Amino acid sequence: MQFASDNAGPVHPRVMDALMRANEGHAPSYGADAFTGRAVEALRATLEAQAAEVFLVATGTAANALLLAAMTAPWETVFCARTAHIEEDECGAPEFYSGGAKLTLLEAPDGKIAPQTLEAALREAAGRGVHQVQPGPVSLTQVTEKGTLYSLDELRALCDIAHAHGRRVHMDGARFANAVAALGCSPAEASWRAGVDALSFGGTKNGLMGAEAAVIFDPALARDLAFRRKRGAHLFSKHRYLAAQIGAALEDGLWLQMAGAANAAAARLEAGLAATGKVEMLHPREANILFAAWPRAIHQRLKAAGAAYHLSGDLREGDPAEMLPARLVCDWSARPADTDAFLALF
Amino acid sequence: MQFASDNAGPVHPRVMDALMRANEGHAPSYGADAFTGRAVEALRATLEAQAAEVFLVATGTAANALLLAAMTAPWETVFCARTAHIEEDECGAPEFYSGGAKLTLLEAPDGKIAPQTLEAALREAAGRGVHQVQPGPVSLTQVTEKGTLYSLDELRALCDIAHAHGRRVHMDGARFANAVAALGCSPAEASWRAGVDALSFGGTKNGLMGAEAAVIFDPALARDLAFRRKRGAHLFSKHRYLAAQIGAALEDGLWLQMAGAANAAAARLEAGLAATGKVEMLHPREANILFAAWPRAIHQRLKAAGAAYHLSGDLREGDPAEMLPARLVCDWSARPADTDAFLALF
Amino acid sequence: MQFASDNAGPVHPRVMDALMRANEGHAPSYGADAFTGRAVEALRATLEAQAAEVFLVATGTAANALLLAAMTAPWETVFCARTAHIEEDECGAPEFYSGGAKLTLLEAPDGKIAPQTLEAALREAAGRGVHQVQPGPVSLTQVTEKGTLYSLDELRALCDIAHAHGRRVHMDGARFANAVAALGCSPAEASWRAGVDALSFGGTKNGLMGAEAAVIFDPALARDLAFRRKRGAHLFSKHRYLAAQIGAALEDGLWLQMAGAANAAAARLEAGLAATGKVEMLHPREANILFAAWPRAIHQRLKAAGAAYHLSGDLREGDPAEMLPARLVCDWSARPADTDAFLALF
Amino acid sequence: MQFASDNAGPVHPRVMDALMRANEGHAPSYGADAFTGRAVEALRATLEAQAAEVFLVATGTAANALLLAAMTAPWETVFCARTAHIEEDECGAPEFYSGGAKLTLLEAPDGKIAPQTLEAALREAAGRGVHQVQPGPVSLTQVTEKGTLYSLDELRALCDIAHAHGRRVHMDGARFANAVAALGCSPAEASWRAGVDALSFGGTKNGLMGAEAAVIFDPALARDLAFRRKRGAHLFSKHRYLAAQIGAALEDGLWLQMAGAANAAAARLEAGLAATGKVEMLHPREANILFAAWPRAIHQRLKAAGAAYHLSGDLREGDPAEMLPARLVCDWSARPADTDAFLALF
């Protein structure tokens, strides 16, 4: 009953196999190896973006922080959702890597920024003088932190607004695979064709050991990223092992199979929870995360049985009938039997 | 004939096995897993330092930069060898992580700072006022970038001088294992017992995939490191895979076996080169790196045969008899047959 | 009809005289002169704080940024009003000087943070882990950007809340003189006796040429400020001219006379505006700034007649009867005749 | 007997008069006043550089740090003399403002970088890869910290070398006036016509109260400087008083008259010292600074008589005949009688 996070799950066996295969003899370090060349080409092909610049790193925060630093002057601000990972869960990494830029927090019901919210914020910022922090890029999270998705139409609308104001668009795609699998579109449609200028292409939450790709569609932004990555201590010497992970994920569509499995597991869980009649959904479940509330007494039973998930509120004190909210995340390895056992405790 | 770098070599099979074993089901993320707890305890035991704080990261530059940032105010300077990795090969990571501190470069024949050099530098810096950058920590590299070693006596002398001036000591131990194996001392003697306050404990160059430990012996320095690591985007979500590597290295002395094998291979190579009568050694060979010069014509023959190593100077142009310097590094996987084939080409 | 800003006004003649008197022969540079010693002592006496550390600078932004940097780790956040100068008018100086700290914006009707707002924010931040930016100091502006004042009771309540959560308090006192004059209390009561740990003591907006004092009541915070000031390029070589200004301001209570005159001028203006029957006050007028709205047609008449003040909204287009908001600021040199001429145009 | 520093001297009466004249009524703040417009135009005319961008600040360190930050990426290094003010006397301000760039220290006998030294350093840096800090601008100090001058030929040679390597040139002209007066050339010849891309135009050491101009000849560099200045807290609200100083200096050649007087006083002092037969000159005296050594016993006599200057070495202990080095600086207000009294003590 493992629903704590998709980064608590194991690495897919095919990825482990790829690591074993990469572990033959010597290979040039720092990305000059053949595995890296192939992984980068595979990612370009997957994204239908032959000119994209790709930089592999090991954490999603590194991908986000490096890309945002390349897009944001120290005296600029990043427009993002109040709930964004870059605001809430990176201990100020974007501020550190950018040399002290700000984040401007936009209201985001269900984790999503509405076009009119973005338009209003960019319009307000347009007239700023030398005393004010200047407008910088827009950062969108897909899948959002609330488990919802921007539709392609919504995504295009937001990118169009950003571009109309001369702002570039970054996508935090820690769960980009889950988004593409859920939207049923091409990776290109979900990114640069919609107007995304730079993408944090996530892998770690999707069955890899620790591998992400910072992808830049606008080559003008790429010039300095190699220096930023090295200076940030994120250039791996044994680079082939990062590359082997990304390469394995992209081979025969494994990345979308894993994401699809995670999404399906979450859908199955959602249906089961709904069937109990005891659960209130807090946000639409559109990928592999769901937010729901149910009575404290049931939480106590689940936790006692060893179920792993994040819970807001105190398990021990108060009314057993009080509804306490929880976050449940499924990864590629979720097993139906686990879900059934979980649901049976309701 | 692979002598380019110890980070070009493969991961030891026992480390790969440990990664496979760690890949069972779910585990708490960000270091709350059991593998991490065990690896940290194993490292403390190895170092005979129960109170040491240990932070795992994936690159040596991260370990160095995070530790130095914790030890150095932005208006301070780090005293290090002119040849130090932190000066020459990290693209300014210490400057970045410290918020703009300086490095003061000390002359270091054979890569080693002489006690009187350090004493003179610290004495000069002692009388500085508000206009000058203030003295910060001393950083020593062991094994040095020139392949030499500080003896325990030399190390203690340097640490004593630093402490007498109120300065802390950082050790860049990217090849700490090779040093301990070569010195034949305990890890504690080679670090905190000699006066080292913080140690970058290297693993990647010694048969791991990408795992290092930032070790702090003085708990006062540890307070902020968790924030610095997270903010630098170096806190791994699937932390168990970092921990499994360190754990495997420390199990049954594997780390010292690997380092010893690398050192022995370099010693064998050195003896073979000496026997050719055509080679000039440039620095004493004391661990797994050697610097030597030989005629251009032989370099041409070696390179043509596929030998991998770093060469200073132009292979193609000039006198065939001209002596060109090279750097050769052995890792744990070095094979005698390879060395023999290499030597046969002389 | 000069109501644009109190930094648009002239320097008081007694301050100019002091500058002339300071301009005799040579004097030690960088603050070792006698003028500086006397000014610092005068400020300590004025604040009844003999142990306070005082650092003179030339801009209010420098005082704020240096003090906040000394109080805030790079991974911390400053709690301040959404309308604070440090958020809206310093182009990110606090972020720059702190090495990338954040600002957490609190709702502040009439420019004032309510105690329960601060309490809620600090309580929310108390449970944060390593993934989140950590709570740092609280920054209060007195006089606020909306021209209002925290009463001594309100100030004490806010400081008590901050301290109860282990947070220090910074006061942006660009108009501290106006606040003290309006509150009728002692400077000590308005600062450290209420719980303020560090004060930006403003002078430039109050009849000086360009001189502010960064005052630290808690000596633990002062240790690094000399380095921060120098490194920020804010240590003046001809320091006597900064000191002479502060010294002149504090002599015979000139600073409070100037602030009192500015406050009185604003009160007179407020009364006159009220008497026109055409003006809506937008915030309580409590010191030397007032916010009010009146019909566009009157704005047009005032601007045509050369009145200087800040206006929100477009003067030229729209309904002549539409109420447009304005900000009016009085300085020490405000003349009743000017105010009368201004009012006559209503 | 005031030879401690040219920043210990008084402000010229004509500059004080200009400040008094500027102190009439209200003026727009932050540089929108008429004094600023006129001062900028006067500086452009003086430098024969109509397209130059000019930013006024109050300290020389601010001018240097802001210009260097605009010219240097965080992962680049500034090439400068080992004796440069930016290295020795700014507490790391260039590192702070640039976000952690380095300084590469070049040997500089008599304070001057030789062309072949610069050529060798830039050639060495040309082949650097992603692991190394990248080459940035060259910074030259004119008058040097050792009181010497680059001739126009030397200056052009250095700038040509820098440009041939694609590097821009910054001039720290804290004593640019003294250099121009001594060289007898035009300000344009001493700066952009020789190849200087950005100039810290000093005023404070040359009879002003605290005013410098950061001048950018290459408009591409100017884009961000306004934000950097504001964010660094160096944008003055009562900007007219900075502008009035620069304006007064440039009116009727006052700046060169003051610098010429300082140079002449130093020449007179040099001649007098030579005539004593007891003094050894340490560097050529070419402007208003001289370095010389004489016996400890004479130093004791001079200091006892109240002479102010900087002395290296301990006045009290040791052989009375031992030669101790001193630095003597003359400013515009130096009086022959003072010099005579000083010399009489030999």
Side-chain angles (χ1 to χ4, degrees), chain B residues 75-79 125 128-136, chain C residues 227, chain D residues 91:
Chain B
W75 47 86
E76 291 181 351
T77 187
V78 178
F79 297 87
R128 292 187 180 172
V130 72
H131 301 285
Q132 280 87 45
V133 166
Q134 301 296 301
Chain C
F227 298 118
Chain D
C91 199

Side-chain angles (χ1 to χ4, degrees), chain D residues 43-319:
Chain D
L43 188 49
R44 286 176 177 154
T46 298
L47 293 166
E48 302 173 63
Q50 287 311 311
E53 293 282 347
V54 174
F55 298 85
L56 303 188
V57 292
T59 71
T61 297
N64 285 343
L66 289 170
L67 288 174
L68 287 172
M71 301 170 87
T72 317
W75 47 86
E76 292 182 352
T77 187
V78 178
F79 297 87
C80 66
R82 179 173 292 282
T83 53
H85 197 269
I86 58 173
E87 163 66 12
E88 296 212 322
D89 288 292
E90 302 190 351
C91 199
E95 288 86 348
F96 175 45
Y97 275 85
S98 65
K102 288 176 95 80
L103 305 190
T104 295
L105 307 181
L106 306 181
E107 297 309 320
D110 292 331
K112 292 166 65 177
I113 302 168
Q116 60 270 32
T117 304
L118 181 61
E119 174 66 33
L122 293 179
R123 192 169 294 171
E124 183 280 330
R128 292 185 180 173
V130 72
H131 301 285
Q132 281 87 44
V133 166
Q134 301 296 303
V138 175
S139 181
L140 305 173
T141 310
Q142 177 83 311
V143 179
T144 76
E145 281 79 9
K146 298 303 175 195
T148 54
L149 287 170
Y150 291 105
S151 71
L152 291 189
D153 278 350
E154 290 170 332
L155 201 56
R156 282 187 291 254
L158 288 164
C159 292
D160 285 351
I161 291 168
H163 293 158
H165 285 272
R167 307 292 95 225
R168 286 204 178 89
V169 178
H170 165 254
M171 176 173 280
D172 178 353
R175 294 185 181 93
F176 183 71
N178 302 90
V180 171
L183 291 169
C185 66
S186 75
E189 286 171 321
S191 57
W192 63 272
R193 282 208 181 113
V196 172
D197 298 295
L199 169 68
S200 298
F201 179 90
T204 310
K205 290 184 197 297
N206 191 32
L208 305 191
M209 186 178 280
E212 315 270 319
V215 182
I216 297 178
F217 298 112
D218 176 347
L221 289 170
R223 202 172 43 103
D224 297 335
L225 213 81
F227 297 118
R228 292 186 188 275
R229 178 174 59 168
K230 174 67 192 182
R231 181 174 175 80
H234 288 288
L235 176 57
F236 272 45
S237 58
K238 294 184 170 175
H239 201 269
R240 55 173 149 169
Y241 302 102
L242 281 183
Q245 295 178 60
I246 297 286
L250 297 178
E251 199 173 324
D252 299 331
L254 175 61
W255 70 298
L256 289 179
Q257 295 164 33
M258 292 193 288
N263 291 353
R268 195 168 179 283
L269 180 61
E270 179 191 25
L273 288 170
T276 65
K278 298 172 179 164
V279 167
E280 179 192 355
M281 294 302 293
L282 302 175
H283 301 290
R285 197 284 315 156
E286 297 179 338
N288 67 322
I289 314 176
L290 63 82
F291 289 83
W294 57 79
R296 175 179 278 115
I298 301 181
H299 282 299
Q300 290 168 329
R301 204 180 314 144
L302 291 162
K303 290 285 186 182
Y309 60 91
H310 285 284
L311 170 66
S312 301
D314 191 320
L315 196 62
R316 298 295 155 208
E317 292 186 29
D319 176 9

Side-chain angles (χ1 to χ4, degrees), chain B residues 103-128:
Chain B
L103 306 189
T104 295
L105 307 182
L106 306 181
E107 296 310 320
D110 292 333
K112 291 166 65 177
I113 302 168
Q116 60 269 34
T117 303
L118 181 61
E119 173 66 32
L122 293 179
R123 192 171 293 171
E124 182 279 329
R128 292 187 180 172

Side-chain angles (χ1 to χ4, degrees), chain C residues 55-285:
Chain C
F55 298 84
L56 303 189
V57 291
T59 70
T61 297
N64 285 343
L66 289 169
L67 288 174
L68 287 172
M71 302 170 89
T72 318
W75 47 85
E76 291 181 354
T77 187
V78 178
F79 296 87
C80 66
R82 179 173 291 282
T83 52
H85 197 268
I86 57 173
E87 163 67 12
E88 297 212 320
D89 288 293
E90 302 189 352
C91 198
E95 287 86 347
F96 175 46
Y97 275 85
S98 65
K102 289 174 93 82
L103 304 189
T104 295
L105 308 181
L106 307 181
E107 297 309 320
D110 291 332
K112 292 166 65 177
I113 302 168
Q116 60 270 33
T117 303
L118 181 61
E119 173 66 33
L122 292 179
R123 191 170 294 172
E124 182 280 330
R128 291 186 181 174
V130 73
H131 301 285
Q132 281 88 44
V133 167
Q134 301 296 303
V138 174
S139 181
L140 304 173
T141 310
Q142 177 81 315
V143 179
T144 74
E145 282 78 8
K146 298 303 176 197
T148 55
L149 288 169
Y150 291 105
S151 72
L152 291 188
D153 279 349
E154 288 168 333
L155 201 56
R156 282 188 291 255
L158 289 163
C159 292
D160 286 351
I161 290 168
H163 292 158
H165 285 272
R167 308 292 94 222
R168 285 203 178 88
V169 178
H170 165 255
M171 176 173 279
D172 177 353
R175 294 187 180 91
F176 183 71
N178 302 90
V180 171
L183 291 169
C185 66
S186 75
E189 287 170 321
S191 58
W192 64 271
R193 282 206 181 114
V196 172
D197 297 294
L199 169 67
S200 298
F201 178 90
T204 311
K205 290 184 196 301
N206 190 33
L208 304 191
M209 185 179 282
E212 314 270 319
V215 182
I216 297 178
F217 298 111
D218 176 348
L221 288 172
R223 202 174 44 103
D224 297 335
L225 213 81
F227 298 118
R228 292 186 188 276
R229 179 175 57 168
K230 173 69 192 180
R231 181 175 177 79
H234 288 288
L235 176 57
F236 271 46
S237 58
K238 295 186 169 173
H239 201 270
R240 54 174 147 168
Y241 303 102
L242 281 184
Q245 295 178 59
I246 297 287
L250 298 177
E251 200 174 323
D252 299 331
L254 176 60
W255 70 299
L256 289 178
Q257 295 164 34
M258 291 193 289
N263 291 353
R268 194 168 180 283
L269 180 60
E270 179 191 25
L273 288 170
T276 65
K278 296 170 180 165
V279 168
E280 177 192 357
M281 293 303 291
L282 302 176
H283 301 289
R285 196 285 314 158

Side-chain angles (χ1 to χ4, degrees), chain C residues 291-336:
Chain C
F291 289 82
W294 57 79
R296 174 178 279 115
I298 300 180
H299 282 298
Q300 289 168 328
R301 205 181 312 146
L302 289 163
K303 290 286 184 180
Y309 60 90
H310 285 284
L311 169 67
S312 302
D314 191 321
L315 196 64
R316 298 296 155 205
E317 292 186 28
D319 175 8
E322 189 191 352
M323 302 291 276
L324 295 182
R327 187 191 79 153
L328 305 174
V329 190
C330 296
D331 79 321
W332 69 270
S333 75
R335 291 172 305 177

